[in-house]
Amino acid sequence: MQSLKDANQRPLLLIVVANSVTFYLAVKTDALLGGQWLVLAKNVPEVLPVGLCLVLVEVVNAQLSSDAKARIVFLRWQDPLPGSEAFTRHAIADPRINLTAIERNSGPLPTSPRQQNFLWYRLYRSVAYDPAVLQVHREYLFTRDYACLCLLMLIGLGTAGLFHMPSRSTALGYAGLLTIQFLLVRRAARNHGVGLVTTVLALKGAEN
C-alpha cells in the first residue's frame, strides 16, 4: 500500500515547480507586480525545465526530522509534536471527545508533554487505518511538509530575488508573497495536526 508520504510526493513537487517558475519569470520579465500575467504565461514553456531543477528543495526538506518539522509548524522547541498537548489542551477544547471513557480504558491521563504524546501515539496505532484518521493524517503530513518547503523557499528564493530580480519592488513583493504563503500553510498544518490528535481521541472516546 502506498504510504501517506509517498502519496503527497507529487503534489509537493508540483508546488516547488510552481514557486520556482514564478521566481524565474519574475526575474525574467519583472512582471510580477505589474499584473502582466499573460507575459508570464507565454514564458512558462521556456522556464519549466529550470523550475524542475529546483525540485532539489524537496530533497533538502526530506532531511528535516519529524521533530524539526513540528517545531516549524507549532513554534515549540521542546516536545513539538501535536500529541504533546493531546489531553491538557486539544482534548478539553473538543466537545466530541469523551475523556472519561478514554481514562476508563487507558488509565490516568498524563499531563507531561512527553507522556501525553506516548499515550496519544498508542491510541493512534489502534485506529491508524480508520478512514477519518487516514484523511486528516495525510492532510497534516502534506501541509507540514509544504510549510517547511515554504520556509526554505522564503529563505532561499526570497534572498536570491534581492540580487537577481530587475527591481527592488518586485523582489520585495515576491518575498511578501512567499511570507504570506508560509504563514497560511503553517497555520493550515497546525490545524490539521490538532485535527489528527482530536480525531483519534474522538474515535477512542466513542468506543464501548
Side-chain angles (χ1 to χ4, degrees):
M1 185 176 68
Q2 187 183 40
S3 72
L4 295 178
K5 288 185 178 181
D6 289 341
N8 287 332
Q9 196 80 347
R10 183 164 185 160
L12 287 172
L13 294 182
L14 292 175
I15 286 166
V16 173
V17 170
N19 277 270
S20 303
V21 167
T22 303
F23 170 80
Y24 189 84
L25 291 176
V27 172
K28 185 84 172 178
T29 67
D30 198 26
L32 185 64
L33 296 183
Q36 301 177 45
W37 295 104
L38 289 178
V39 176
L40 299 182
K42 290 178 181 178
N43 282 273
V44 166
E46 174 187 347
V47 174
L48 197 54
V50 177
L52 287 172
C53 291
L54 291 181
V55 166
L56 288 174
V57 174
E58 198 279 331
V59 175
V60 175
N61 177 56
Q63 308 310 307
L64 297 175
S65 68
S66 295
D67 279 2
K69 292 176 181 180
R71 288 185 180 108
I72 292 171
V73 170
F74 290 95
L75 302 180
R76 290 196 310 269
W77 186 261
Q78 295 293 332
D79 301 301
L81 295 176
S84 299
E85 296 182 317
F87 305 103
T88 56
R89 182 175 183 182
H90 303 318
I92 60 178
D94 193 322
R96 301 174 302 163
I97 297 171
N98 186 342
L99 281 177
T100 302
I102 295 175
E103 188 168 19
R104 183 172 61 247
N105 295 327
S106 303
L109 301 179
T111 57
S112 73
R114 182 160 297 188
Q115 292 302 317
Q116 286 187 74
N117 192 65
F118 285 159
L119 176 56
W120 176 82
Y121 186 70
R122 180 161 64 84
L123 298 174
Y124 158 77
R125 290 292 298 271
S126 66
V127 294
Y129 295 102
D130 183 279
V133 175
L134 283 171
Q135 177 66 25
V136 72
H137 194 186
R138 179 177 179 178
E139 290 170 347
Y140 169 60
L141 292 178
F142 172 69
T143 50
R144 182 200 66 180
D145 288 356
Y146 185 3
C148 293
L149 283 173
C150 287
L151 182 59
L152 292 172
M153 290 186 291
L154 174 58
I155 295 170
L157 297 181
T159 301
L162 294 174
F163 296 96
H164 297 292
M165 289 184 180
S167 66
R168 183 161 293 273
S169 60
T170 296
L172 293 176
Y174 177 72
L177 290 176
L178 289 177
T179 301
I180 292 171
Q181 179 182 216
F182 168 67
L183 293 175
L184 290 176
V185 177
R186 189 202 71 81
R187 181 178 178 84
R190 184 193 179 282
N191 290 341
H192 286 313
V194 172
L196 173 60
V197 171
T198 55
T199 298
V200 168
L201 296 181
L203 288 173
K204 297 303 293 184
E207 291 179 350
N208 294 325

